[in-house]
């Protein structure tokens, strides 16, 4: 070891909590709070300052507002719920000169995401979670057999080493931690690339007069099928206005779509804009496996987002809970191997992962059809059936309904037929994901069956392979 290396080693501070969580978002805070409630020592490493922590780009719409894990009770979060009167989606389809009012199942709310972020941090701190802000993780440590043993970081300019029995990766989309782990000896999903992700941009817009649609989540397609605009009312005069688009698209051209639409909507005349932010989020199926000896990924870092809507808050909270409970089991038994942590994968798939995988089929379909045909399809479908397709991954469409949809969509019959065929493929995939394997040794065979189904999806939709 050189003199310089010896000096660096001497000044590096080392801490040894039971669990290290990287990222102070929803999944990270719920994971850490669950572990702390079980009387284990847990630290969250957050790259932002204490003042900025919790401030992220988000649409601010929360589906599943009625249900959160008990580690941070919903009552602590409710002050961040600024609009609980939303109850449906409003789909504006200019190509068809149509507005669809679509019921959305479950409890909805629009939130102040920064206030919500502060609330979950306070909730985790209240049960004993230690937060280290201004901390950037730059490496993951492993034993010779591959087990993750901690992370290396820079905290306020000083090197830090964190040794832990379990590392929980809640570092968000395209997590840099995964670039540093050797996953060759586990089932952890490495079939991930930037094309599986979406860029999002949003502004908080203040208007003088109350909007007429303060009880709705407003969606509108961009001029290409690659994205959509949203207008989510935090209040009747404070609107989260944004757009999401695949990373394969040029961002500035699509941001211009949002600017033009804002300028052309009379309700935004003279509006004041503040707090502009962008972010990335997954628009893909959940990771096949998000576990590795000593390591789990949660939330956006594991693809835990509804790929058709971008919603992921409630799912991330439960992913954090499930990962934490698997970590606690490992701490209690002294075994943090892949088999011990595997139950986390199963619980995610059982709760929401299977649905999200089926929903991804409709994303794949959207890449293969013209935007006008896609809008014609949406305009032809009854609202309640469209809501089922967007949120449950499946919908019951009988011959009578199919015939009515075909009648209502003259000129888009090929697209309607393609959708009905795609729906069958999505149902097949949902059934397979609901039979997710109970142990890692069975994953490879399950993946082979899944990949066969995906080949049928690509053949049916005409889309290029996504995975």
């Amino acid at each position: 070891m050189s003199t310089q290396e010896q000096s660096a080693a001497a000044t590096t501070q080392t801490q040894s909590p039971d669990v290290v969580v990287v990222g102070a978002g929803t999944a990270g805070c719920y994971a850490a709070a669950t572990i702390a409630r079980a009387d284990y020592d847990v630290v969250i490493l957050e790259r932002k300052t204490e003042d900025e922590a919790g401030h992220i780009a988000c649409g601010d719409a929360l589906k599943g507002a009625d249900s959160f894990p008990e580690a941070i009770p919903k009552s602590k979060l409710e002050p961040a719920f600024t609009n609980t009167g939303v109850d449906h989606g409003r789909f504006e389809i200019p190509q068809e000169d149509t507005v669809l009012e679509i019921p959305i199942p479950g409890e909805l709310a629009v939130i102040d995401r920064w206030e919500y972020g502060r609330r979950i941090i306070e909730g985790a701190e209240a049960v004993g979670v230690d937060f280290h802000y201004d901390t950037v993780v730059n490496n993951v440590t492993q034993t010779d057999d591959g087990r993750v043993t901690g992370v290396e970081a820079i905290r306020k300019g000083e090197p830090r080493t964190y040794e832990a029995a379990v590392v929980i990766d809640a570092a968000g989309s395209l997590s840099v931690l995964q670039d540093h782990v050797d996953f060759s000896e586990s089932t952890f999903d490495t079939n991930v690339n930037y094309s599986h992700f979406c860029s999002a941009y949003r502004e908080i817009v203040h208007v003088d007069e109350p909007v007429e649609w303060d009880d709705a989540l407003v969606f509108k397609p961009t001029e290409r099928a690659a994205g959509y605009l949203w207008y989510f009312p935090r209040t009747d005069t404070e609107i989260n206005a944004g757009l999401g688009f695949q990373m394969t698209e040029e961002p500035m051209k699509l941001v211009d779509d949002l600017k033009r639409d804002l300028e052309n909507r009379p309700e935004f005349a003279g509006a004041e804009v503040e707090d502009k932010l962008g972010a990335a989020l997954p628009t893909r199926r959940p990771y096949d496996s998000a576990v590795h000896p000593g390591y789990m990924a949660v939330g956006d870092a594991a693809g835990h987002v509804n790929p058709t809507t971008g919603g992921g808050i409630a799912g991330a909270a439960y992913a954090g809970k499930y990962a934490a409970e698997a970590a606690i089991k490992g701490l209690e038994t002294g075994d943090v191997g892949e088999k011990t942590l595997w139950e986390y994968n199963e619980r995610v798939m059982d709760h929401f992962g299977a649905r999200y995988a089926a929903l991804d089929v409709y994303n794949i379909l959207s890449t293969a059809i013209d935007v006008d045909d896609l809008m014609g399809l949406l305009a032809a479908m009854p609202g309640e059936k469209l809501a089922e397709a967007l949120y449950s991954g499946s919908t019951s469409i009988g011959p009578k309904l199919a015939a009515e949809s075909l009648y209502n969509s003259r000129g888009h019959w090929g697209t309607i037929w393609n959708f009905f065929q795609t729906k069958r493929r999505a149902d097949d995939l949902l059934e397979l994901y609901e039979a997710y394997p109970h142990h890692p040794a069975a994953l490879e065979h399950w993946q082979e069956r899944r990949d066969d189904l995906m080949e049928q999806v690509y053949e049916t939709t005409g889309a290029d392979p996504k995975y």
Side-chain angles (χ1 to χ4, degrees):
M1 183 181 293
S2 68
T3 302
Q4 186 177 6
E5 289 172 329
Q6 289 175 339
S7 176
T11 59
T12 299
Q13 295 187 40
T14 300
Q15 290 185 239
S16 301
D18 297 307
V19 178
V20 166
V21 177
V22 182
T26 298
C29 284
Y30 272 92
T34 303
I35 291 165
R37 281 182 176 272
D39 294 326
Y40 287 100
D41 185 18
V42 55
V43 61
I44 289 182
L45 310 183
E46 170 55 47
R47 63 181 178 83
K48 294 181 179 178
T49 66
E50 185 172 359
D51 289 341
E52 281 289 315
H55 188 204
I56 66 170
C58 180
D60 292 350
L62 172 58
K63 184 180 182 296
D66 55 329
S67 178
F68 275 88
E70 64 281 357
I72 305 173
K74 178 188 171 184
S75 60
K76 290 186 176 294
L77 312 178
E78 286 177 332
F81 291 20
T82 57
N83 184 356
T84 57
V86 287
D87 60 10
H88 68 285
R90 176 184 168 92
F91 282 68
E92 300 180 353
I93 306 177
Q95 294 93 330
E96 299 287 326
D97 193 23
T98 297
V99 174
L100 299 179
E101 304 284 351
I102 299 174
I104 299 178
E107 185 176 332
L108 289 172
V110 181
I111 65 175
D112 179 329
R113 182 57 182 80
W114 197 355
E115 179 63 20
Y116 165 86
R118 287 189 282 256
R119 293 276 172 176
I120 57 173
I121 288 171
E122 290 172 3
E125 286 179 326
V127 294
V129 176
D130 186 17
F131 282 78
H132 288 192
Y133 300 103
D134 303 289
T135 303
V136 178
V137 174
N138 55 20
N139 197 18
V140 178
T141 57
Q142 294 178 262
T143 59
D144 290 341
D145 63 1
R147 178 172 61 86
V148 169
T149 58
V151 299
E152 296 173 349
I154 301 294
R155 187 182 187 202
K156 296 181 179 179
E158 299 294 331
R160 294 285 183 96
T161 296
Y162 295 87
E163 299 172 344
V166 178
V167 171
I168 295 180
D169 176 3
S173 298
L174 298 166
S175 166
V176 296
L177 274 70
Q178 293 168 30
D179 295 334
H180 295 291
V181 180
D182 178 0
F183 293 118
S184 59
E185 299 301 317
S186 75
T187 60
F188 193 93
D189 195 343
T190 57
N191 184 17
V192 181
N193 67 62
Y194 82 100
S195 66
H196 302 164
F197 292 79
C198 169
S199 292
Y201 169 80
R202 70 101 176 99
E203 302 172 347
I204 304 302
V205 183
H206 297 267
V207 297
D208 292 332
E209 299 295 328
V211 295
E212 295 180 354
W213 35 263
D214 64 311
D215 59 348
L217 303 179
V218 179
F219 298 88
K220 184 177 181 179
T222 55
E223 294 175 4
R224 287 166 289 174
Y228 68 92
L229 310 178
W230 73 72
Y231 299 102
F232 295 166
R234 283 186 175 181
T235 70
D236 58 6
T237 59
E238 183 178 85
I239 315 300
N240 181 312
L243 80 160
F245 51 91
Q246 289 301 124
M247 283 191 170
T248 51
E249 292 292 320
E250 295 183 39
M252 291 314 298
K253 288 184 178 180
L254 283 160
V255 171
D256 286 343
D257 284 358
L258 174 63
K259 291 180 178 179
R260 279 194 298 272
D261 203 59
L262 281 167
E263 290 170 355
N264 292 330
R265 298 178 77 100
E267 63 263 51
F268 291 110
E272 295 182 5
V273 177
E274 64 177 34
D275 200 27
K276 302 177 181 181
L277 280 178
L281 69 155
T283 46
R284 53 156 292 148
R285 66 195 182 200
Y287 282 19
D288 289 358
S289 170
V291 305
H292 174 89
Y295 181 95
M296 288 174 281
V298 294
D300 285 10
H304 295 159
V305 170
N306 182 326
T308 61
T309 67
I313 293 176
Y318 276 97
K321 166 186 166 68
Y322 299 151
E325 290 174 348
I328 290 167
K329 181 178 179 180
L331 292 169
E332 290 174 344
T333 62
D335 178 2
V336 295
E338 192 173 16
K339 290 181 180 179
T340 301
L341 304 180
W342 189 260
E343 185 179 354
Y344 159 61
N345 281 336
E346 294 183 74
R347 296 178 74 185
V348 165
M349 293 302 183
D350 181 64
H351 187 164
F352 59 83
R355 288 187 293 112
Y356 288 1
L359 287 166
D360 187 46
V361 172
Y362 300 106
N363 262 1
I364 291 170
L365 172 65
S366 73
T367 67
I369 59 179
D370 179 79
V371 63
D372 289 338
D373 286 336
L374 178 61
M375 294 305 106
L377 165 63
L378 294 178
M381 286 191 67
E384 67 275 8
K385 296 302 178 183
L386 183 57
E388 287 179 13
L390 286 171
Y391 290 98
S392 71
S394 181
T395 183
S396 55
I397 301 176
K400 182 175 182 292
L401 180 58
E404 290 174 354
S405 298
L406 286 170
Y407 178 79
N408 292 333
S409 61
R410 292 182 298 276
H412 303 289
W413 288 352
T415 303
I416 293 291
W417 175 248
N418 197 354
F419 175 81
F420 291 143
Q421 293 296 100
T422 300
K423 184 262 181 190
R424 293 180 180 179
R425 303 286 81 80
D427 286 350
D428 292 341
L429 200 66
L430 179 63
E431 183 177 355
L432 179 65
Y433 268 82
E434 288 174 341
Y436 184 81
H438 296 306
H439 53 88
L443 183 67
E444 184 175 359
H445 177 64
W446 178 88
Q447 287 174 317
E448 290 173 355
R449 294 165 59 203
R450 191 272 316 282
D451 291 346
D452 287 342
L453 288 178
M454 290 302 299
E455 287 298 321
Q456 296 176 39
V457 168
Y458 300 135
E459 182 178 352
T460 298
T461 61
D464 294 331
K466 183 174 181 177
Y467 300 101

